[in-house]
Amino acid sequence: MAAILHISSLQSNTPPFLLHSLTPSQPSLRHSFLKSKDHIPHQRRNRSVAFTCQSVSDDGDDGYLLDAPVSAGDGFSFSGGKYSDGPNPADEWFKKGKYMKAHPVYGTGEKAKDPIFGLTMGGNSQTSTDLFRWFCVESGNADKPTVVLIHGLPSQAYSYRKVIPLLSKDYHTIAFDWLGFGYSDKPQPKYGFDYTLDEFVSALGSVIDELGVNKVSLVVQGYFAPIVVKYASKHQDKLNDLILLNPPLTPKHANLPSTLSIFSNFLLGEIFSQDPLRASDKTLTSCGPYKMKEDDAMVYRRPYLTSGSSGFALNAISRSMKKELKNYVEETRKILMDDNWKVKTSICWGQRDRWLDFDGVEDFCKASKHRLVELPMAGHHVQEDSGEELGTIIAGLVSRKVRI
């Protein structure tokens, strides 16, 4: 029988954790930090580094136009990159991150053009020409077990800001932005990445390979969970644990909620996806009890305010999800129910999810013999509503110290 764990009964030996800020000077992390991302050579490595990345705060030419003049906009941003005259929380988050390069850029190398007018987009809407750039926030000692935190749709690695401090003392913790989200590259469809779910599976494989570690524990939230499950099914030997946060698991979960599916509509979706308030604020707050603070909203809105490519990417992934999600959910159920599935799997569920109904989830966990952890005060974005509790839960699950 599957173990069902309620947050009120959780006991963990996990002690309080402190956030460890990373700097390029820390030798234990074994990373190479580059001064300019425009001249990053790509070569096959035979050394045991975790991954090659660069600090995004060392110089002013970091690709994203943080507080750039209005004239620097690409023609599709609401403010041309100019959000405020004073310090911005988005800047502080951006400084905590680094870029790593993973997954090849396919295509002709032609400059990306917007899908509406066919005009060449601005420099900060263009991607790399060899490997895509992934924005990641890393904390903890790379010699310790690695936990990778993967955000949902539509969100950012920023959503795990409350979880990272609780994991980083005992674990090497990495949270990254998917391609098309946050501060990672946002290739235009037909210019190296088309945002199909199969492409995301392949891209995740490139990221995991780039980490250079033997084993990882993967934590994934929401509608990107089926993508991670499909990757895991082909690489069980690389996983210690799989933790799913409010994943689509039942046939009723196979349809996107109207708040997300609107972005897939012809023309209307392309327009709405360019609205930072609709693309970030409304989607994040309509699926549960989460009340977004203004400082957090500034981080989530920033990509949409600096480049039209964020909206075009959201439009593309919404179309792919609407078309492919049903098959991916069915495949997820089969994989997790299969006798050949050997990865220790836990499902954490925010009971106040307005997008995905809890009906059928408990039965699925019992039938598949996977642990179910219920968080009664959290919604769809569990890490936003109950970040500290979730951090403690993840630490306990990975360390095998959770008691039922």
Side-chain angles (χ1 to χ4, degrees):
M1 181 176 292
I4 301 177
L5 176 61
H6 295 267
I7 183 61
S8 58
S9 64
L10 175 68
Q11 297 183 35
S12 173
N13 295 331
T14 307
F17 296 97
L18 299 174
L19 175 64
H20 294 265
S21 300
L22 299 183
T23 64
S25 61
Q26 289 179 292
S28 62
L29 298 181
R30 301 167 298 170
H31 299 330
S32 299
F33 296 88
L34 307 178
K35 288 295 183 180
S36 172
K37 73 179 179 194
D38 295 325
H39 299 87
I40 302 179
H42 170 55
Q43 53 184 326
R44 295 294 178 184
R45 295 171 301 282
N46 294 318
R47 47 195 170 85
S48 58
V49 297
F51 52 84
T52 302
C53 52
Q54 68 166 116
S55 170
V56 297
S57 60
D58 288 345
D59 53 59
D61 184 22
D62 52 30
Y64 276 89
L65 305 181
L66 304 184
D67 289 329
V70 174
S71 60
D74 62 12
F76 282 88
S77 56
F78 278 73
S79 58
K82 182 70 174 176
Y83 186 84
S84 67
D85 294 327
N88 193 316
D91 300 332
E92 297 306 312
W93 174 250
F94 194 68
K95 291 176 182 178
K96 292 180 180 180
K98 306 172 180 70
Y99 275 127
M100 68 174 174
K101 301 196 76 175
H103 198 62
V105 179
Y106 298 108
T108 63
E110 181 184 359
K111 291 290 186 181
K113 298 178 181 179
D114 76 81
I116 298 179
F117 301 110
L119 302 175
T120 300
M121 300 192 71
N124 64 316
S125 294
Q126 303 294 338
T127 64
S128 305
T129 58
D130 53 355
L131 298 173
F132 288 116
R133 295 167 298 188
W134 300 67
F135 178 80
C136 61
V137 173
E138 182 186 23
S139 188
N141 190 328
D143 291 326
K144 294 185 176 181
T146 298
V147 178
V148 179
L149 306 173
I150 304 173
H151 69 78
L153 172 71
S155 190
Q156 300 179 25
Y158 181 73
S159 63
Y160 287 106
R161 64 194 176 280
K162 301 174 187 176
V163 177
I164 294 173
L166 295 169
L167 293 178
S168 60
K169 183 176 181 179
D170 284 350
Y171 300 97
H172 175 219
T173 307
I174 299 170
F176 67 82
D177 288 335
W178 282 108
L179 292 179
F181 295 90
Y183 302 94
S184 290
D185 274 344
K186 301 172 185 64
Q188 298 304 296
K190 300 180 181 179
Y191 292 92
F193 196 79
D194 290 335
Y195 296 96
T196 66
L197 302 196
D198 283 348
E199 282 180 301
F200 275 108
V201 174
S202 178
L204 176 61
S206 297
V207 170
I208 301 300
D209 290 344
E210 188 68 14
L211 297 182
V213 295
N214 293 327
K215 289 264 191 175
V216 297
S217 294
L218 298 181
V219 180
V220 57
Q221 188 269 329
Y223 289 99
F224 276 113
I227 290 171
V228 176
V229 170
K230 185 169 183 177
Y231 163 80
S233 69
K234 300 176 181 179
H235 302 90
Q236 294 192 49
D237 58 315
K238 294 185 178 181
L239 271 65
N240 285 319
D241 297 87
L242 178 64
I243 301 174
L244 309 177
L245 313 178
N246 282 59
L249 285 176
T250 74
K252 291 189 297 184
H253 295 166
N255 296 317
L256 287 178
S258 59
T259 314
L260 293 180
S261 64
I262 188 66
F263 297 118
S264 67
N265 291 352
F266 173 71
L267 191 58
L268 190 61
E270 293 167 335
I271 295 173
F272 283 171
S273 64
Q274 296 296 331
D275 181 352
L277 300 182
R278 185 180 288 271
S280 62
D281 298 36
K282 185 174 182 178
T283 54
L284 290 170
T285 58
S286 67
C287 56
Y290 178 50
K291 302 296 183 183
M292 184 180 291
K293 297 180 181 179
E294 184 62 22
D295 282 357
D296 298 329
M298 293 169 77
V299 179
Y300 282 117
R301 295 170 189 162
R302 175 58 71 84
Y304 296 95
L305 291 167
T306 57
S307 171
S309 60
S310 299
F312 293 134
L314 177 59
N315 175 247
I317 180 58
S318 298
R319 289 182 177 181
S320 293
M321 282 282 182
K322 189 173 183 179
K323 180 180 179 181
E324 304 175 51
L325 184 60
K326 181 179 179 180
N327 290 337
Y328 261 72
V329 171
E330 291 176 354
E331 190 170 6
T332 293
R333 291 174 58 84
K334 291 178 181 178
I335 291 171
L336 296 181
M337 294 282 288
D338 197 300
D339 290 338
N340 293 322
W341 178 253
K342 304 301 181 183
V343 178
K344 179 175 171 288
T345 303
S346 303
I347 297 168
C348 299
W349 197 272
Q351 292 283 12
R352 299 173 70 182
D353 191 334
R354 296 174 187 165
W355 283 353
L356 300 177
D357 195 336
F358 183 66
D359 185 35
V361 173
E362 186 172 350
D363 290 340
F364 175 82
C365 291
K366 289 180 179 179
S368 60
K369 299 180 181 179
H370 297 314
R371 174 175 286 163
L372 174 63
V373 182
E374 300 178 34
L375 291 86
M377 301 307 294
H380 183 71
H381 293 280
V382 184
Q383 66 271 41
E384 287 285 9
D385 297 319
S386 303
E388 292 83 0
E389 293 89 340
L390 180 63
T392 301
I393 291 171
I394 293 173
L397 291 172
V398 174
S399 67
R400 312 296 199 269
K401 293 181 180 179
V402 170
R403 297 176 183 174
I404 305 297

